[in-house]
Structure formats: C-alpha cells, structure tokens
Amino acid sequence: MWLLIQGFRYRPVSRSVFPERLPDDNTLPALDIFIMTADPDKEPTIEVMNTVLSVMAIDYPSEKLHIYLSDDAGADVTLCASKEAYSLARYWVPFCKRFGIAVRCPEVFFNDSKIDQQDSDKEFSQERQKIKVMYDTFKEKIKKLKENKYSCATRFQKTRQEHPSQIEIIREEESNSTDKEDFTIPSLVYVSREKRIGVQHRFKAGALNVLLRVSGVITNSPYILVLDCDMYSNDPSSARQAMCFHLDSKLSPSLAFVQFPQEFYNISKNDIYCAEIRQIFKTFWLGLDGLRGPVLSGTNYFVKRCTLYGARPGGTSNSEEKEISRLKHKFGNSNEFCLSLVEKSSHYFDEKITTYVNPQKENILTLASCDYENGTQWGERIGYLYGSVVEDYFTGFHLHCRGWVSTYCFPSKPAFLGNICFLNGISLFPEVTSPWFGAFVVVFLSSCIQHLREVFRSGRNLTTWCNEQRFWMMIGLTGQLFAIIDVFLKLVGISAVNFDLTNKTADKTQIKRYENGVFDFEGCSLMLLPATTLSLLNLGALIGGAWQMITQFIFSCFILALSLPLIEGIVFRQDSGRVPPRVAFWSLVLSGSIILFMFIFC
Ligand SMILES: O=c1ccn([C@@H]2O[C@H](COP(=O)(O)OP(=O)(O)O[C@H]3O[C@H](CO)[C@@H](O)[C@H](O)[C@H]3O)[C@@H](O)[C@H]2O)c(=O)[nH]1
Ligand SMILES: [Mn+2]
C-alpha cells in the first residue's frame, strides 16, 4: 500500500502565474461558467446567488463571460432569484470593478468588518452603503420567494422529479430596473433540464452534458469553468490565472484543464473529520502535476470545451468526420448543436469559435430533454461519462488516457472558497436527543434481533449468538481486514496467489483449550494487533470517559463484552494460549499512546 502511493511524491511541482503578462484583453478567449445546483432546500438560494454574483464580477472582459446556472430541481425560487441577482449585478459588477474589490462575493464583502472601519475614501463609503441597501433588499426578496410570498415565474405544474426543460436567457433588456448604469455585465442563462420519473437523469454528469449542449448553441465559448453552487469566487483574477496555462503556446496544445484546489472557509479549528482533504489537494495533486496532471476534481477547474467532445491533442479531422450526418450519429439529432461543432472552423474542433447565435427556443429546449441522448455517444465517449458515481475522476482519467494533460494551480490566495457542511457540528453517532437516534437504535437492534432469530431457527441458543457476534468483530478486524489488503496486492500483481494449507496438527493443550471453549491465541502474529488495540482502546475509553454518556456507555459495554476474550488473553491469562506477549505489548503501547495523544490534544 505504501509503495503504491509513492508515485505522488516522485515529482511534485508547484507553479506560479503572472496574469499581468497576459496579452491584450481583446485577445482573451471567451469563457462559459457552469454553476450547478440541485435542491433549493439543501443548497440555500442566497448562497447560490452569491456564487453567481461573485463570478459575474470577476476580472475578465464582461462581453466574454457567460454564466449558466443549472437547476436540477427546476425550482421557481431559483429562476426568480436569478433574475433578481441579475438586476443586482448591474450595480454590483461595476462597483467591484471600479474600486478593485478583493473578494467579490457580496455576502463576504458586506460581512468584512475591516472594510467597515476603512472610511478613508468618502466616495467608496457612499457607494458601498448604497449597494449594501440593495443587497439587503435582494436578500429580503429571496426570503419572500422562499416563503412563497411572491413569484416571478408563470407557474406550471412541476415537481423536482418531474418537470419539462426550461431555459431562460436573462439579458439586459429583460431586467425591469430603469436607472441602470452604463456598463456591460456578463450574460446569465438559467437552465433546468427535463426530468421524468423513471428516466435516469445521471446526476451531475447528466446536468453538465445538458449545459455543454445548451451553451454550445448559445455562446460556444472555447473554455469552461465548472463550479459547484457553494464555491464562490474568492480571487477575481482566477480566470486570468487559468489563461496563463491555456494560452501558453508550449503547454496549450495538449492541455485539457487547469484544476484549482477545493478550499473551504468554515473548516473547524481541529478539523477532526479531515474536511480539508489536505492529502489530496496539498500533497497528491502537486505530485500528479509533475506526471500527467491532477485528476479532474468536480469543481474549480477551467476545461477546454473540445476535449469533452472526444477530441485528441493535435488531432485534426478529415472532412468526412465533419459531415453533419456523422456528427448527428455521435452527438444527437440537433442541427444547431452539430453546426456549433464545425461552424466558422477549418478544423473539426476549432477552439477559437465563439459564436453568439440566437437559436430557436424550441431547439434549445430539445437539447435539455430526457430523450435527447438516446442512441448517441453522450456519457459513453462524449461529454461527462456516466459509468461511475464520481463522474469527475472518471471523466478526467479518460481525458488523460486520450493523451491530454492537466495542470494544477494552487495560488496562496484561494481562487474559490466553499462551504463545508457535512459532519460539521454533526456527531458521528446520533445523540440521544436527536430524532435520528431512534432510527439508529432500530437499525442496531433489528440487526441483532434478525441474527438472533436466524440462530434460534437453526436450533442454537444465545451462546451461539454471542459467539458469532464476537467472532465477526474479531475476524473483521484481523483476517478479513488483511484479506482485503491481500486480494488487492494480488490484483495489482504484487503478491502472488497462494494457498495456505491449514495446519491439521494440534497438541494436547490446544485440544483441551478448544474443548473447554477457551480462545487460543498461541502463535498469533501481529495481525491480531488491530483487534487487541481497539479492544484496549475501548476499555480505556470506557473507564476514562464514557460514564458521562449513557449511550456511549452501553455501546462501549457491548464492544467490551465482544472483546472480553481478547482482554482476558492480554491481561489475565498465563497459559500458553494467551495473547502472545509481544502482541499484547504492542497493543498496550499503541492504545496507550492513542489515549495519551487524545488527552493532550483533544
Ligand atoms: O443530480 C445532481 C446532483 C448534484 N448536482 C450538483 O453537483 C454538485 C456536487 O454535489 P454535492 O452534493 O455537493 O456533492 P459533493 O460530495 O460535495 O461533491 C464532490 O464529489 C462530486 C463527485 O465526485 C464532485 O462532482 C463534486 O465537485 C465534489 O465536490 C452540487 O453543486 C450539486 O448541486 C447536480 O447538479 N445534479
Ligand atoms: Mn459539495
């Protein structure tokens, strides 16, 4: 196992970018930004809109920036809030650009107490105050939307699981405010794909593929930034940083994507659940960057559009491949979309095409329908791939296999910051006061009862039940644990398949112990260590602290009961069948150190 991950340490690379050295703004390529949301209850609308506003205000030519918000819930709240956000953006974006605001997420900006005190510039303070009032009104409106007090949408019958596709290009003239400032702001497109009960929707990968097609016929920017809805832009220069790689003449021809790390603003002080994902983003990805590049990590990456259409680096295509009928076979039956693949382009996939067509609404809606992908190569060879629950890793590996490379951009100021919420403030086991505690107890007890019933049905008694419970725990922590490792080593060819012949001889004392129902640990190897250490740890925890909490006490007692033979074997027994002294010694050292460590540091 140790050897397997050494590749990550072989050639770590850390990079610096100099966005100020990029060529003139009008040579910068257009950029589509995809923001993904799926549930307005679990993903607070105000947070999603903050992400939208933060990227609308990034430091990039506004006319080259197009934001697509994918709403898998098809929620009116999200659509209406997007319109409100767009109206606010007319003031927020110019304000940010004019004063060079460092963090362009409104919620973060208005909560920054440092800026409050900094009233040196009167004009700035006045403007800030004005926008703050607008932002507060905006929040109020979203609250009302949530409470169903008003709605902007024409309500038609739809639920989260079942709704027609709905696409709205929210543009300047559609906004209802009159005293707008004279300033171009990026376009915003709301996309909610069709959902039907019983039709697989392929989660995020499915939503991303719809966005690829819809954006393909609307703006068709050669580069795409993908963001989860909780990842706001923390550094307005991120797109320029990414372009330092994408426009690098040496790197660019084989570069598929630039990955930024996932970082979070609300990591707890001790981060006991390792939410920081430190090893991945602060060690492994730097190492991969020296090889073929980091793995596609779901969010915070700038990808070259054509790489997702199945192109290969340096690959030019012949005219045969450009034939619309052939393209339709792969990409589906939309003329507009297939044209977007070849239009204004001498190559099959020219990354320089940036068209802003105004397609027929009906035609774009079809691109977001449930049936569009039937019989095409979407999800198999084209777009985000469906074969895995982690579409990002899977798709990224495929890009690498097709010859593309990726780079890792890890600036000291986080480019994007997200909200870590899982397990934050949630205990690993439900607390007694939690309504989930009931569910926990039901699952635990019913699995015990089920086992008991099976034992009784086969004519055994409570002792068998106890023994089996105990044995599961022991082999789970010893034999089975090492078996998994062993099978894996065999799979990768490090250890050969072998057959361990069972030792059929036994001496008299062993037989006696067996007959008396006494566990025999004689000759056990260090493989016993996980089981013995955890048993001692449980005992330590029981004595040391579990008296404070009755449920933990009961749970610890249960484990103690199961591990009693191990404890006896370590502590009380003197016969040759006890736990071998060196195993006992190491378990004591290990569990002792863990307890000591917890005392000191937690
Ligand atoms: O049917 C779906 C399911 C999810 N999402 C969106 O996908 C994103 C990620 O979903 P989330 O529930 O937050 O999953 P995580 O476990 O946080 O996601 C991690 O793991 C995923 C799969 O590897 C990656 O895609 C993510 O970027 C990565 O943050 C969110 O913006 C969702 O709104 C959709 O749009 N449609
Ligand atoms: Mn997430």
Side-chain angles (χ1 to χ4, degrees), residues 490-506:
K490 276 168 195 155
L491 272 180
V492 296
I494 288 180
S495 90
V497 179
N498 60 344
F499 180 75
D500 282 343
L501 201 65
T502 321
N503 186 0
K504 297 173 185 77
T505 62

Side-chain angles (χ1 to χ4, degrees), residues 479-540:
Q480 289 175 348
L481 179 69
F482 288 97
I484 291 173
I485 297 173
D486 200 33
V487 165
F488 189 70
L489 291 183
K490 276 168 195 155
L491 272 180
V492 296
I494 288 180
S495 90
V497 179
N498 60 344
F499 180 75
D500 282 343
L501 201 65
T502 321
N503 186 0
K504 297 173 185 77
T505 62
D507 63 26
K508 271 196 189 128
T509 44
Q510 282 178 318
I511 294 170
K512 197 150 184 225
R513 276 200 288 269
Y514 179 65
E515 281 170 353
N516 291 341
V518 178
F519 269 90
D520 194 343
F521 299 112
E522 192 176 354
C524 275
S525 69
L526 284 174
M527 277 200 190
L528 200 60
L529 218 52
T532 46
T533 308
L534 286 176
S535 307
L536 286 177
L537 204 59
N538 178 64
L539 183 67

Side-chain angles (χ1 to χ4, degrees), residues 581-599:
R582 81 186 165 123
V583 177
F585 171 77
W586 282 114
S587 321
L588 269 171
V589 170
L590 278 175
S591 52
S593 337
I594 295 172
I595 291 174
L596 203 66
F597 184 86
M598 308 261 267
F599 253 109

Side-chain angles (χ1 to χ4, degrees), residues 143-417:
K143 221 165 122 194
K144 284 196 186 132
L145 276 171
K146 288 240 155 191
E147 290 162 358
N148 265 327
K149 291 215 176 110
Y150 91 101
S151 172
C152 67
T154 42
R155 290 173 172 275
F156 45 95
Q157 212 53 42
K158 56 182 185 178
T159 64
R160 253 170 232 188
Q161 294 78 26
E162 192 147 42
H163 50 252
S165 43
Q166 190 175 4
I167 294 166
E168 303 243 353
I169 303 178
I170 304 168
R171 283 212 223 116
E172 294 269 8
E173 60 275 13
E174 278 183 31
S175 182
N176 42 21
S177 144
T178 45
D179 72 319
K180 62 165 187 170
E181 299 207 2
D182 188 20
F183 205 93
T184 348
I185 62 164
S187 52
L188 177 61
V189 183
Y190 170 89
V191 180
S192 165
R193 60 183 166 139
E194 183 191 11
K195 286 240 182 114
R196 281 208 308 267
I197 292 170
V199 180
Q200 282 205 342
H201 57 80
R202 318 284 193 168
F203 307 99
K204 188 178 171 188
L208 280 164
N209 284 339
V210 167
L211 281 191
L212 275 177
R213 295 194 291 270
V214 170
S215 68
V217 298
I218 301 179
T219 49
N220 206 17
S221 301
Y223 295 97
I224 296 165
L225 161 64
V226 177
L227 287 180
D228 286 350
C229 59
D230 56 357
M231 278 284 168
Y232 70 80
S233 158
N234 184 59
D235 183 347
S237 71
S238 61
R240 287 176 188 268
Q241 293 181 26
M243 288 310 156
C244 290
F245 298 103
H246 276 306
L247 301 182
D248 180 299
S249 55
K250 260 200 232 141
L251 194 58
S252 173
S254 56
L255 180 64
F257 61 91
V258 179
Q259 179 70 54
F260 284 74
Q262 281 191 35
E263 292 169 273
F264 305 95
Y265 57 81
N266 59 342
I267 298 269
S268 64
K269 194 168 137 259
N270 294 325
D271 191 20
I272 51 166
Y273 299 118
C274 302
E276 192 193 358
I277 334 177
R278 189 209 56 78
Q279 196 170 41
I280 300 256
F281 291 113
K282 302 205 166 106
T283 305
F284 288 177
W285 273 203
L286 296 169
L288 284 182
D289 202 7
L291 305 171
R292 190 158 273 279
V295 181
L296 198 73
S297 316
T299 176
N300 310 356
Y301 60 89
F302 292 79
V303 62
K304 192 187 279 173
R305 182 186 283 269
C306 67
T307 64
L308 292 166
Y309 291 165
R312 285 175 190 274
T316 48
S317 56
N318 49 37
S319 52
E320 205 179 294
E321 274 180 318
K322 282 195 277 178
E323 259 175 48
I324 296 288
S325 60
R326 276 179 164 265
L327 288 175
K328 280 189 173 174
H329 176 69
K330 281 185 176 175
F331 292 93
N333 219 356
S334 155
N335 276 324
E336 277 86 357
F337 183 73
C338 290
L339 276 172
S340 83
L341 299 168
V342 287
E343 234 173 28
K344 287 190 195 164
S345 139
S346 51
H347 292 305
Y348 182 175
F349 303 114
D350 185 347
E351 57 189 66
K352 291 200 186 71
I353 24 171
T354 330
T355 51
Y356 193 95
V357 289
N358 213 344
Q360 294 277 300
K361 211 160 177 189
E362 297 307 303
N363 295 342
I364 340 181
L365 288 175
T366 324
L367 290 169
S369 70
C370 282
D371 301 329
Y372 184 81
E373 291 179 356
N374 292 350
T376 67
Q377 292 185 0
W378 285 98
E380 268 166 51
R381 283 156 153 225
I382 286 169
Y384 289 84
L385 306 184
Y386 296 150
S388 160
V389 280
V390 281
E391 83 300 329
D392 45 359
Y393 277 41
F394 193 44
T395 307
F397 287 143
H398 270 80
L399 291 178
H400 285 163
C401 289
R402 256 189 253 127
W404 295 100
V405 299
S406 56
T407 56
Y408 192 44
C409 191
F410 189 3
S412 54
K413 177 177 178 183
F416 305 98
L417 277 180

Side-chain angles (χ1 to χ4, degrees), residues 453-506:
R453 183 168 163 263
E454 287 163 4
V455 168
F456 283 163
R457 276 194 135 191
S458 46
R460 303 294 192 283
N461 55 22
L462 210 60
T463 318
T464 308
W465 180 84
C466 270
N467 286 341
E468 286 190 358
Q469 287 276 337
R470 176 172 290 154
F471 198 67
W472 281 342
M473 186 197 78
M474 286 197 196
I475 59 169
L477 288 171
T478 54
Q480 289 175 348
L481 179 69
F482 288 97
I484 291 173
I485 297 173
D486 200 33
V487 165
F488 189 70
L489 291 183
K490 276 168 195 155
L491 272 180
V492 296
I494 288 180
S495 90
V497 179
N498 60 344
F499 180 75
D500 282 343
L501 201 65
T502 321
N503 186 0
K504 297 173 185 77
T505 62

